[in-house]
Amino acid sequence: MHRIYNFSAGPAALPEAVLCKARDELLAWNQEGASVMEISHRGKAFNALTDNIEANFRKLLKVPQDYHVLFLHGGATGQFAAVPMNLIGQGKADYAVTGHWGKKAYKEAQKYGDIALATNGESQGFTTIDDFDSWSIRKDASYLHITPNETIAGLEFDALPQTSVPIVADMSSTLLSRPIEVEKYGLIYAGAQKNMGQAGITVVIVRDDLLSKALPITPSIFDYQKQKEEQSKLNTPATFAWYLSGLVVDWVLAEGGLEAMGVKNQAKAEKLYHAIDESHFYHNPVDKQYRSWMNVIFTLKNSELDSQFLKESEAAGLYALKGHRSVGGMRASLYNAVSEEAVDALIAFMKQFEQKYA
Ligand SMILES: *Cc1c(COP(=O)(O)O)cnc(C)c1O
């Protein structure tokens, strides 16, 4: 069997140990004599599984007692609508547009209330983030929405603005990549297919006091309070995706938890940025302070070589390096499941390619 070095931005590489475990128990899971996909989502075995996944997820992220963890449908894009429907009340919300995804969230939210920009990095090509001092956050906003890792721009920020307004964070491409302080957020959400499993399941971590304010039009499956009451089983959940996320959580715990992930991820990203900065052939446009550990973008000095780079990198076993069409160039996504060995192989290839074409 041959597996490529996979730098896909999402759906993305999964840990091999997770895939092997899923394969091994595919036909008969947990002595059920059936796969986890073929049993009731309300049965004893599946309930025990999801209780266990939530407990391990809470342990991994040190989720405080006054937060609920929901496992929902509809991806992060579903949450672009669910967040305002649940949290905006009669009021207002502010959005930080720091990249493609922040902008999409901002646009979707417009349907549900008075939505204003806290900051907008578009005129700078989403390569930097304005100082928090210059952000405008309305005191009476119901929440401030941010995107801590912009998957397309390859831009990331760790620090949070000082505000009494609850912070809502789309962590689709950064959750589980390092420790975070959940208590600093009102709500965190993430689609699983970047760093926590396969497409189809979306995790929402929400503080108690933000529940039960949903607009009356909120579809039941997007209503956090209703989903909380039903343990995220208001309708048939994405059972296999949920199970697979559980395997990923177990794997992260076994690998040493989020501290260990953070150390590894930082090392992988620094290596690649170093190789880019060292060369006059490759370039990364992002302000150094805000470079993403998860999605490393780079352009070639001569963009006419882009297709040659992609062709030769694939021949060398390095896949999915094409940058997003809105940015061009290349993007290497270095999620938890991407090994240091894969990064080394990419850097070695980049050096060879440069020697050949510089
Ligand atoms: C991938 C991604 C999304 C979109 O996720 P879907 O599950 O396809 O809706 C939203 N936000 C961020 C930060 C992402 O990386």
Side-chain angles (χ1 to χ4, degrees), residues 7 18 85 101 131 139 144 191 197 200 211 215 252 259 272 308:
F7 298 98
V18 165
M85 282 192 279
W101 291 116
D131 285 343
K139 285 205 171 58
L144 167 71
L211 289 167
L215 299 175
V252 176
E259 284 78 10
L272 184 50
Q308 194 63 20

Side-chain angles (χ1 to χ4, degrees), residues 9-11 74-80 100-102 104-105 147-152 170-174 189-194 199-202 295 331 335:
T77 305
Q79 293 307 309
F80 292 170
H100 175 96
W101 291 116
K104 285 217 158 178
T147 312
N149 186 70
E150 284 285 359
T151 320
I152 291 173
D170 173 5
M171 292 204 185
S172 293
S173 51
T174 190
Y189 64 91
Q193 71 271 24
K194 311 288 167 57
I201 198 128
T202 312
N295 312 96
R331 169 173 54 174
Y335 301 121

